Amino acid sequence: MNTHSTAAVLTARRIAVSFVATVSAVGLTAPLTSADPLDAPTGAGRHAPQAPPAAQGILFTDATVTQQKDGSFTVSWRAPGAGSVTVYAGARAVAHGGSEATVVVRGLPAVDRRWFRLVPDQGDPLTLADRSLHLEGAAHFRDAGGHRTADGRWVKMGVLYRADGLHALTGADLAKLKRLGLRTVLDLRMPRERAKAPDRVPAGARHVVAGVPGGKAEGELPATAKASAHMMAGSYRKFVSKPSAVNAYRSLFRLAKGPGSYALAYHGESGKDRTGWATAALLTALGVDRGTVLRDYLAANGHLAAVHAAELDRRPPRLAARLKPVLDARAEYLNAAFDEAEVRFGTFGAYLRDGLGLTEQDLERLREALLTG
């Protein structure tokens, strides 16, 4: 073989080796096939491509998707240990960034709910959507998932929803919820509340009632704003101690640990008090840390800001001042419920076991059904 032939062979071998290395690297962030139904609630981690041999589970420590008013999406993440992350919408790569980044995605066609898959160059992918369903008749209807647990797993999205009252859902809202697979609705309101504003639920969905004593009527407001806040903290303590409330939350956990109930929505009147404790208890049982649980709870203030501002504007200033603590989600309220659980049962785990009657097997089934990673 002459010198030129030898050089050609060596060059060809180098190209082949380089090609194989490039394909292997791209394979870590390869787009999904068109057959993969990503834009569906069951897509939350279920169809993720296999991680490379050196994967260490889900590396993301924080990640969110937020839909903006102009139809664009802001996707943010932190994935320590990953070199890069590619964002997919369906089979299409729509953004790319480093281990920590915020990107804006525009120009995607409208769908009932837009799912994004965040694929790192190592570790497992994570699939997320905006928590809010942006319903016309329920401003506070949002996903209870999308949170990281202390052991590095994530609460699946598209499975559990927390909501405000469903009596004002529009026909378009009901059709959307049906397409998204809403199968069960648990109404935490009392009989008089249900009679005054009956739920509207998608055709075929099961409607379950389990009343928790809740808010006060306007005529029952205490004389001062401070007293109103004290009353609210007392109400949260009763979520833990009152037998009827304990029975209702036991019903919620029983539904939540059974995949046959999914997708499951639970709600009260505004979706912040009875529903707030329901979500806090569920997320804590799943292993989400207290700080994250509290931030999720306080997010109610943003979702309900316009509704509550309108309510306060209709009242005389003195009455509005007494009403505002009732409308707010406040850390002191949620902490009162957690404190009550510890006072009555010793620990939150004992509240689950001795109060709600959940066995370790029940909790394991709950985690198996609702966690990914």
Side-chain angles (χ1 to χ4, degrees), residues 25-113:
V26 171
L28 301 184
T29 56
L32 304 173
T33 65
S34 58
D36 195 324
L38 179 58
D39 287 318
T42 52
R46 180 177 171 185
H47 303 288
Q50 285 192 341
Q56 300 176 0
I58 297 176
L59 299 180
F60 293 94
T61 58
D62 187 33
T64 57
V65 172
T66 305
Q67 182 176 338
Q68 308 298 336
K69 291 182 179 180
D70 64 0
S72 66
F73 294 85
T74 301
V75 186
S76 300
W77 67 83
R78 286 201 301 268
S84 64
V85 174
T86 302
V87 181
Y88 292 95
R92 174 185 169 194
V94 294
H96 187 80
S99 61
E100 180 174 347
T102 295
V103 299
V104 176
V105 181
R106 296 184 172 89
L108 297 178
V111 293
D112 283 333
R113 196 176 189 199

Side-chain angles (χ1 to χ4, degrees), residues 173-223:
D173 291 337
L174 291 170
K176 180 176 182 177
L177 291 174
K178 183 173 178 61
R179 290 192 297 269
L180 290 177
L182 184 63
R183 183 177 295 180
T184 309
V185 171
L186 176 63
D187 190 341
L188 297 172
R189 298 175 302 164
M190 297 300 285
R192 60 177 175 80
E193 297 173 281
R194 298 197 298 267
K196 181 179 178 181
D199 272 349
R200 301 192 72 200
V201 300
R206 179 167 58 133
H207 188 255
V208 182
V209 297
V212 178
K216 300 287 185 180
E218 185 172 302
E220 300 173 321
L221 286 176

Side-chain angles (χ1 to χ4, degrees), residues 146-361:
H147 298 290
R148 185 177 184 267
T149 64
D151 64 0
R153 291 184 286 179
W154 282 73
V155 183
K156 294 177 183 177
M157 299 191 79
V159 180
L160 294 179
Y161 296 101
R162 52 177 300 168
D164 45 350
L166 306 186
H167 59 281
L169 291 179
T170 66
D173 291 337
L174 291 170
K176 180 176 182 177
L177 291 174
K178 183 173 178 61
R179 290 192 297 269
L180 290 177
L182 184 63
R183 183 177 295 180
T184 309
V185 171
L186 176 63
D187 190 341
L188 297 172
R189 298 175 302 164
M190 297 300 285
R192 60 177 175 80
E193 297 173 281
R194 298 197 298 267
K196 181 179 178 181
D199 272 349
R200 301 192 72 200
V201 300
R206 179 167 58 133
H207 188 255
V208 182
V209 297
V212 178
K216 300 287 185 180
E218 185 172 302
E220 300 173 321
L221 286 176
T224 66
K226 184 177 180 179
S228 290
H230 182 75
M231 177 195 74
M232 290 299 297
S235 294
Y236 276 65
R237 292 188 185 94
K238 291 178 182 177
F239 296 161
V240 175
S241 62
K242 200 173 180 75
S244 59
V246 171
N247 289 336
Y249 290 121
R250 182 182 298 120
S251 298
L252 170 63
F253 270 82
R254 286 177 176 170
L255 288 171
K257 69 184 176 67
S261 300
Y262 306 154
L264 165 66
Y266 51 92
H267 77 94
E269 183 176 358
S270 66
K272 71 176 182 72
D273 300 320
R274 291 166 287 192
T275 309
W277 175 244
T279 306
L282 281 168
L283 293 180
T284 302
L286 291 171
V288 178
D289 68 271
R290 183 70 63 85
T292 301
V293 169
L294 181 59
R295 286 191 295 274
D296 178 82
Y297 166 74
L298 293 175
N301 290 324
H303 288 275
L304 296 168
V307 175
H308 287 173
E311 285 194 39
L312 293 173
D313 286 345
R314 290 196 297 267
R315 271 75 175 186
R318 288 185 179 179
L319 178 57
R322 293 157 51 202
L323 180 61
K324 190 176 187 304
V326 176
L327 300 182
D328 286 349
R330 298 185 179 182
E332 63 193 87
Y333 302 163
L334 190 64
N335 287 336
F338 277 115
D339 289 345
E340 185 70 13
E342 293 183 6
V343 167
R344 284 192 167 264
F345 299 97
T347 64
F348 181 82
Y351 162 68
L352 296 177
R353 182 184 67 245
D354 302 330
L356 301 187
L358 300 171
T359 66
E360 188 54 43
Q361 183 178 21

